[in-house]
Amino acid sequence: MSVRLKDVAVRAGVSIRTVSNVVNDYPYVRAETRARVQAAIDELGYRPNLTARQLRRGRTGMIALAVPDLTIPYFGELAGHVLMAAERHGLTLLIEQTAGSREREVMLAQGPRAKSIDGLLLSPLAADVEDLPTGSESVPLVLLGERIYDPRFDHVAIDNVAAAEAATRHLLESGRRRVAAVGVASSARSTMADLRLRGYRQAMDGYGLTVDERLVVRTTWFRRPDGYVATKQLLESGEPPEAMFCFNDLIAHGALRALSEAGLRCPEDVAVIGIDDIEENRYTVPSLTSIAPDKSKIAHHAVELLVRRIGGERPDGVDYTPGFSLSVRESAP
Amino acid sequence: MSVRLKDVAVRAGVSIRTVSNVVNDYPYVRAETRARVQAAIDELGYRPNLTARQLRRGRTGMIALAVPDLTIPYFGELAGHVLMAAERHGLTLLIEQTAGSREREVMLAQGPRAKSIDGLLLSPLAADVEDLPTGSESVPLVLLGERIYDPRFDHVAIDNVAAAEAATRHLLESGRRRVAAVGVASSARSTMADLRLRGYRQAMDGYGLTVDERLVVRTTWFRRPDGYVATKQLLESGEPPEAMFCFNDLIAHGALRALSEAGLRCPEDVAVIGIDDIEENRYTVPSLTSIAPDKSKIAHHAVELLVRRIGGERPDGVDYTPGFSLSVRESAP
């Protein structure tokens, strides 16, 4: 009888899942544990049953990435990284645009389309957790972003509270105090916006500052026109802020334009920071300071997790939180 | 015996194809001809065999749009329009990114992926006409752009010579004479760049101007960094131009940044114009003047032509040339 995963787990004194993690070379195992499992594998002469894995896995060789809007550069750039990560696994990637429609999101996860793909990376904007399939017949699924949190699913999302706190703190460190937050969600749907607002408040708290609620500006969506209109409102409502934390880069680009039209200099009069670190930030005038999520890692781990689901594993969900860094440019030195 | 398409054609004195065009409500029929065909249809009591059409047509209900790079906003915006046009036909759209790889382009048109879709809208960047399938078993195909011209295929592309000539002429009309052309293809692959260069030369000719070849600047690709680097080179090589015609908007955005770094004012010192009219143009500082292809019409007609191919017709190719307009903004008033 051949050596099974279970035998390795018993010998190493770990769970079957941990052995699986080591065999599949996933990054969620401590070095010490990994070494112990590897020793047990070597002792017992365990060989993973690749054919069975391939059989379960390789139904069509296609996975899909579904995002709300490909004209938002963050999603376009992420799609490029996911394309490369999928190719490393020999998988063809379909790219889907849901337009934030619940029907489209559900159709991709549950409908006939789901039958033609091996797995789905979904960045949900409208669907709720009850809309998502969980049975053994449903398409393997990994969720991007934090709109839906459910322990049965794998999630890949940056720590939005920490990212927003870092952005706001960067503005505060330059001595500016009247810091606006632009991009607060007008609807209840955006968990991302809620978390970024919380990070902003935490940073202000950390400096012992009371938030002037007139500087907390709502937008309906996360595009240039939203940032432009919000900044106009902000400037018309009274004394300009000394700095603006915009909840994404497109809102910040709209803000730069509105500041320029109002005759305000950036960063001298108003410093501006965004989140996403899209390519365009290097070419705006002034160039835009931004929080940079590690898109390459997001893509890499999302595909790894999906391949693992496709491989037939139905463990509890894994949460992967990729890091971020600060790209300092002219708009907020 | 039921009335056939042919009977209607004989009665109306037109070709079978023209009757088909009228039945399918395509826009390529003159009003007078349409009225004659409609009269023959009414007289004979012809009813199109919808079920047969549906059977041939409705294999999967999915069509695909394959473009080189979704992070080029023009393609992202076009994809949004194609999505809407496909939905009007009850078709689901898959969006594919080929990264300009010949293998990916050919795979989408010929490979197993082609079996899962009813038709393909392809914007080829690397494939040649011999790479494309033409047999009765091949996937229905409509080509976007002018990289491949072959009378067997349907094509949808703006008149690039006329668009480039209009852009250059707009700069010349303001009295500027030293007009640079930025975005000439470094490789032989870009028919689009060749046509835009021809339009530039025609406009210069029309004003009796000799082109200073030092103002004709090559780029490897059509993104912001290419425009930025090309403009730096142009400024280092001697006296700055009075105006720049950039072969697309992203090149123009790179140019705006390089001009700003060099301390040159736009449009006072150097006017700039692009092509594509992407949303971003309204938010750059200065906002960007651009030639606006009618993306909505491109999408509408591309999907119409594809639906017709899917319907089983194998006529000679149709060429559809959508119009364009000029969006005047601050960079070239």
Side-chain angles (χ1 to χ4, degrees):
Chain A
M1 210 177 94
S2 68
V3 179
R4 294 164 307 165
L5 215 57
K6 193 181 169 185
D7 304 324
V8 177
V10 169
R11 171 69 64 107
V14 299
S15 69
I16 291 177
R17 179 156 173 204
T18 302
V19 178
S20 166
N21 283 347
V22 173
V23 167
N24 287 292
D25 204 24
Y26 292 128
Y28 317 102
V29 186
R30 278 183 304 159
E32 184 209 350
T33 311
R34 190 180 291 274
R36 204 158 74 231
V37 171
Q38 195 55 55
I41 287 172
D42 294 343
E43 280 174 44
L44 296 172
Y46 170 74
R47 291 284 165 272
N49 187 344
L50 283 170
T51 316
R53 275 164 63 206
Q54 284 303 122
L55 265 181
R56 267 176 293 151
R57 177 181 297 189
R59 289 182 296 171
T60 65
M62 290 193 275
I63 61 171
L65 167 70
V67 298
D69 187 343
L70 284 161
T71 68
I72 291 187
Y74 172 77
F75 290 119
E77 295 183 7
L78 183 65
H81 287 285
V82 173
L83 196 69
M84 285 186 283
E87 273 177 359
R88 281 196 296 271
H89 285 274
L91 293 165
T92 301
L93 182 72
L94 312 185
I95 300 171
E96 305 278 356
Q97 183 169 280
T98 61
S101 143
R102 180 176 175 155
E103 285 69 33
R104 277 185 82 85
E105 291 176 0
V106 172
M107 181 190 74
L108 290 169
Q110 302 219 23
R113 287 297 312 285
K115 306 266 184 245
S116 70
I117 53 172
D118 293 348
L120 174 65
L121 303 172
L122 175 64
S123 176
L125 200 71
D128 289 314
V129 67
E130 305 83 53
D131 296 325
L132 299 179
T134 52
S136 61
E137 287 304 299
S138 57
V139 68
L141 188 65
V142 170
L143 297 173
L144 305 179
E146 57 293 283
R147 246 284 297 147
I148 294 180
Y149 182 78
D150 186 287
R152 287 169 297 181
F153 295 111
D154 298 329
H155 297 82
V156 179
I158 65 163
D159 183 337
N160 274 296
V161 177
E165 197 176 351
T168 310
R169 208 183 295 127
H170 176 70
L171 299 172
L172 292 166
E173 277 164 5
S174 68
R176 293 172 173 90
R177 290 295 172 266
R178 283 178 49 77
V179 178
V182 182
V184 181
S186 297
S187 82
R189 284 264 160 212
S190 179
T191 318
M192 180 268 272
D194 291 346
L195 296 173
R196 292 184 181 175
L197 180 60
R198 196 190 301 169
Y200 161 78
R201 290 192 188 280
Q202 279 183 201
M204 296 292 277
D205 268 4
Y207 270 72
L209 297 168
T210 307
V211 171
D212 178 350
E213 297 298 332
R214 288 169 303 179
L215 299 183
V216 175
V217 190
R218 291 172 194 284
T219 61
T220 47
W221 188 223
F222 301 97
R223 303 191 60 112
R224 294 178 195 91
D226 302 287
Y228 177 78
V229 170
T231 306
K232 289 251 176 200
Q233 284 171 358
L234 187 62
L235 297 176
E236 282 161 14
S237 70
E239 194 193 337
E242 294 166 341
M244 296 172 66
F245 162 43
C246 297
F247 284 14
N248 78 349
D249 289 342
L250 290 188
I251 289 180
H253 295 156
L256 291 181
R257 175 77 206 174
L259 291 172
S260 163
E261 288 183 11
L264 291 165
R265 292 163 306 158
C266 175
E268 295 83 352
D269 300 321
V270 186
V272 176
I273 191 169
I275 296 188
D276 282 348
D277 203 40
I278 60 179
E279 187 205 73
E280 196 180 327
N281 293 354
R282 275 172 273 157
Y283 298 94
T284 51
V285 179
S287 57
L288 185 70
T289 298
S290 184
I291 294 286
D294 192 331
K295 287 167 216 147
S296 168
K297 275 205 174 148
I298 292 173
H300 172 76
H301 285 285
V303 172
E304 291 282 337
L305 287 168
L306 188 60
V307 164
R308 174 172 165 165
R309 289 265 162 191
I310 294 169
E313 292 185 56
R314 291 271 157 201
D316 288 343
V318 169
D319 293 325
Y320 175 70
T321 309
F324 59 81
S325 57
L326 176 67
S327 297
V328 177
R329 300 199 185 85
E330 295 163 352
S331 72
Chain B
M1 209 177 95
S2 68
V3 180
R4 294 164 307 166
L5 215 57
K6 194 180 167 185
D7 304 323
V8 178
V10 169
R11 172 70 64 109
V14 298
S15 70
I16 291 177
R17 178 157 173 203
T18 300
V19 178
S20 167
N21 283 347
V22 172
V23 167
N24 287 292
D25 204 25
Y26 292 129
Y28 316 101
V29 186
R30 278 181 305 159
E32 183 208 352
T33 310
R34 188 180 292 275
R36 204 159 74 230
V37 171
Q38 195 55 55
I41 286 173
D42 294 343
E43 281 174 44
L44 297 173
Y46 170 75
R47 290 284 165 273
N49 187 343
L50 282 170
T51 316
R53 275 164 65 205
Q54 283 304 121
L55 264 180
R56 265 176 293 151
R57 175 182 298 189
R59 289 182 297 172
T60 65
M62 289 193 275
I63 62 171
L65 168 69
V67 299
D69 187 343
L70 284 161
T71 68
I72 290 187
Y74 171 76
F75 290 119
E77 294 183 8
L78 182 65
H81 287 287
V82 173
L83 196 68
M84 284 186 284
E87 272 177 0
R88 280 197 295 270
H89 285 274
L91 294 165
T92 301
L93 181 72
L94 312 185
I95 300 170
E96 306 278 356
Q97 182 168 282
T98 61
S101 143
R102 180 175 174 155
E103 285 69 31
R104 278 185 80 85
E105 290 175 1
V106 172
M107 181 189 75
L108 289 170
Q110 303 219 22
R113 286 299 310 286
K115 306 267 184 244
S116 70
I117 53 172
D118 293 347
L120 175 65
L121 302 172
L122 175 64
S123 177
L125 200 71
D128 290 314
V129 66
E130 305 83 52
D131 296 325
L132 298 179
T134 53
S136 62
E137 287 304 299
S138 57
V139 68
L141 188 64
V142 171
L143 297 173
L144 305 179
E146 57 292 283
R147 247 284 296 147
I148 295 180
Y149 182 77
D150 187 286
R152 287 169 298 179
F153 296 110
D154 298 330
H155 297 82
V156 179
I158 65 163
D159 183 337
N160 273 295
V161 177
E165 197 176 352
T168 310
R169 207 183 297 129
H170 177 71
L171 298 172
L172 292 166
E173 278 163 5
S174 67
R176 294 172 172 90
R177 290 295 171 267
R178 283 178 49 78
V179 178
V182 182
V184 181
S186 298
S187 81
R189 283 264 160 212
S190 179
T191 317
M192 181 268 272
D194 291 346
L195 297 172
R196 291 184 181 176
L197 179 60
R198 196 190 301 168
Y200 161 79
R201 290 192 188 281
Q202 278 181 201
M204 296 292 276
D205 268 4
Y207 270 72
L209 297 168
T210 308
V211 171
D212 178 350
E213 296 298 332
R214 290 169 302 180
L215 299 183
V216 175
V217 190
R218 290 172 195 284
T219 61
T220 47
W221 189 223
F222 301 96
R223 304 191 59 113
R224 295 178 194 90
D226 301 288
Y228 177 78
V229 170
T231 306
K232 289 252 175 200
Q233 284 171 358
L234 188 62
L235 297 176
E236 281 161 15
S237 70
E239 194 194 337
E242 294 166 340
M244 296 172 66
F245 162 43
C246 299
F247 283 14
N248 78 348
D249 289 341
L250 290 189
I251 289 179
H253 295 157
L256 290 182
R257 175 75 207 175
L259 291 172
S260 164
E261 288 183 13
L264 291 165
R265 292 163 305 158
C266 175
E268 295 84 350
D269 300 321
V270 185
V272 176
I273 191 169
I275 296 187
D276 281 349
D277 203 40
I278 60 178
E279 186 205 72
E280 196 180 328
N281 293 354
R282 275 173 273 157
Y283 298 95
T284 52
V285 178
S287 58
L288 185 70
T289 298
S290 184
I291 294 286
D294 192 332
K295 288 167 214 147
S296 168
K297 276 206 175 148
I298 293 173
H300 172 76
H301 285 285
V303 172
E304 291 282 336
L305 288 168
L306 189 59
V307 164
R308 175 171 165 165
R309 289 265 164 193
I310 293 169
E313 292 186 57
R314 292 270 158 203
D316 288 344
V318 170
D319 292 326
Y320 175 69
T321 308
F324 58 83
S325 56
L326 176 67
S327 297
V328 177
R329 300 199 186 84
E330 295 163 353
S331 71

